[in-house]
Amino acid sequence: TEGSGKGWGKTIVSIRANYEETAAFFWDTESRVNTASGAKVEVQNNSTFEKLIKKTELLEGQLNGFHSIGEFNSRMKLLRTGEDTIVMIVDALQKDITNQEEEETRRRSSIMETIYKASEKVAIKFTMVSENETIVEMVVELNLGSISSGAVKENLKKHLAKVTEAAFYFINLLKGNELTEEDGKAIGEQLMLRVKEKKKGESIEEVAKAFTKENRSLSDLREKYSFFVPMLVAVIERKMQGTVEVTGRAESLEEEDGRKIGGSLALLLATTLTGVLGIDEWILHFPALQDLTSASTWLRPMFEALAFKLIGEVRWGVKARVAIGAVTSIIDLGTDIYVTNMFWKEETQYGYFQASLASLSVSVALQLFIIWLQNRNVGWKIVMKECFPVMIGFKPALDAYRIATGKKTEEGHSFDHMAEMTAMKGIEMFAEAIPGVIIQLMAIATVGTKANGENKEVALGAWVSLAVSALSTGFTSASISYDYDT
């Protein structure tokens, strides 16, 4: 944004259609891409490759109950700039709005509604990649008058989203055997977007049924398999239920079987680290899903896209597991430091102090090595920043936060956050927790006697440290085994 109601943005999207067909879709003022979000377009003068239009649409980002309507008067032009390139230009008819003219550019149509004379400049380039694929590049510049910069951003997003809407439109026209894995992912994202934007009072089932009618490939599956739509609805509703046995093949299943299969996914997503792992386990459990995904390879990416959107809302099992793991690791480190200090103060146990110190030092050194390995391609500043949590003992908490929030791996990292957390936990277990248990058991067994001949009592802190180290070892090994076996 540039202040005073101005801003610009750019997007590039690949569309599964011929470039001339795609350009025609954008040129048609009655197409979905031009009438999305309730926009009304009136053609005032029309020729083959140029038209004057008046468009009115609701401006986003205003106060609830108060409506701001943007009124755009523009000239649209369509130009062929090469054998495989078409460009569409939308230019404002009126001059840019200045602060002095601001009062003249808005009027109230009612107490709750204000109409702004706005302007837009749009350039869209359609480039042929292949007979049925087009790259669409869109640049938008908006001048909306005196609305806030936040509202400008929201309206820029809405304008740029038209290209994505067009991509969705053409994907929905494709047959199942024409879809790629990327198309499947886009279908899943589109379905979840429809659910998110459903009208008040509209049920998830109504949205899912309407979408499966609109999308050609899903419509074919709906007609062939009676369990498919109920399964899809149950997946999106994400109601927690245990995994049930549905052993029939896809052709023989009924609607109730679909509800059982779909309803079992939420619990799997709640207890696995990633949506991909959850979908893998879900498909392996039901022969009908194996039938579907083997016949239609785009379905698995579609399910994974659904899982990615749902997992933040149902993955309480993962969050609880990584949180418990982080807490036990931090407490284990704290008790180990406490016991090491006890050994240092006791002359007869100085050897155990040296062993404990060596164990902790090796653990920290190996963790720092993993930090370097992970971040060596993104610069030393990041390496030093990531080393700090290790040095103060809060690396487990940082890893748990990244996994629980689904933080994506940044460009330049050597491996993902799950692999990093697993490596750290493995180091903690083999270089700190297990040696700690052995050292503390040996120290307890050789505690010795007092000067008067009585046996020395083992300090409560030593027993607590021993218990925490044993618990940390067991929990860490069980978590790693579960995460990589499911």
Side-chain angles (χ1 to χ4, degrees), residues 24 26 39 84 129-130 157 176 234-236 280 287 291 318-319 324 339 369 390 445 451 459 475:
F26 278 81
D84 55 2
V129 176
S130 64
K157 289 178 183 178
V235 165
I236 300 169
D280 284 344
D291 293 342
V318 171
K319 292 177 181 178
I324 292 171
V339 170
F369 174 72
V390 174
F475 188 84

Side-chain angles (χ1 to χ4, degrees), residues 11-26 84-87 124-138 163-164 166-168 170-171 174 183:
T11 187
I12 302 175
V13 176
S14 173
I15 292 181
R16 293 290 308 281
N18 177 273
Y19 80 111
E20 292 179 334
E21 185 180 4
T22 305
F25 184 66
F26 278 81
D84 55 2
T85 305
I86 294 175
V87 174
I124 310 174
K125 182 181 179 182
F126 308 92
T127 305
M128 182 179 72
V129 176
S130 64
E131 185 178 349
N132 294 311
E133 185 177 359
T134 302
I135 293 294
V136 178
E137 300 174 65
M138 181 180 190
V163 184
T164 303
F168 286 159
F170 284 106
I171 286 175
L174 299 175
D183 296 331

Side-chain angles (χ1 to χ4, degrees), residues 270-478:
T271 54
T272 51
L273 278 180
T274 66
V276 174
L277 293 175
I279 293 298
D280 284 344
E281 186 173 349
W282 185 53
I283 291 174
L284 287 172
H285 192 79
F286 297 105
L289 292 177
Q290 295 171 37
D291 293 342
L292 288 182
T293 53
S294 61
S296 303
T297 55
W298 55 271
L299 267 178
R300 181 186 289 265
M302 186 194 82
F303 290 139
E304 290 174 358
L306 294 178
F308 182 78
K309 296 295 182 182
L310 295 171
I311 199 166
E313 300 176 34
V314 302
R315 63 195 317 235
W316 49 264
V318 171
K319 292 177 181 178
R321 196 164 71 251
V322 296
I324 292 171
V327 169
T328 57
S329 292
I330 292 172
I331 293 175
D332 183 33
L333 177 61
T335 56
D336 284 347
I337 293 173
Y338 173 75
V339 170
T340 301
N341 183 57
M342 286 176 55
F343 291 153
W344 178 61
K345 292 179 178 179
E346 183 65 46
E347 243 182 74
T348 59
Q349 295 187 322
Y350 192 75
Y352 298 126
F353 161 72
Q354 292 176 317
S356 293
L357 185 60
S359 171
L360 292 172
S361 300
V362 169
S363 175
V364 170
L366 289 175
Q367 289 182 60
L368 292 176
F369 174 72
I370 294 296
I371 292 295
W372 172 81
L373 202 63
Q374 167 75 315
N375 299 282
R376 68 188 189 279
N377 295 323
V378 294
W380 277 104
K381 285 186 179 180
I382 300 297
V383 172
M384 298 304 294
K385 179 182 175 182
E386 291 292 319
C387 285
F388 183 70
V390 174
M391 301 304 295
I392 64 172
F394 274 82
K395 179 61 175 171
L398 179 61
D399 288 339
Y401 172 79
R402 286 170 173 168
I403 295 297
T405 57
K407 184 178 174 72
K408 293 183 178 180
T409 305
E410 296 178 9
E411 187 177 353
H413 283 170
S414 300
F415 33 83
D416 60 34
H417 293 305
M418 179 183 172
E420 182 182 7
M421 185 184 74
T422 303
M424 292 298 182
K425 286 194 170 297
I427 290 170
E428 290 171 10
M429 183 170 63
F430 288 106
E432 181 186 330
I434 293 177
V437 170
I438 296 171
I439 293 167
Q440 289 163 48
L441 282 175
M442 291 177 64
I444 290 171
T446 60
V447 71
T449 58
K450 298 179 181 178
N452 60 8
E454 293 180 8
N455 290 329
K456 289 184 179 179
E457 291 186 4
V458 179
L460 177 61
W463 288 114
V464 171
S465 180
L466 177 62
V468 170
S469 292
L471 175 64
S472 177
T473 300
F475 188 84
T476 299
S477 59

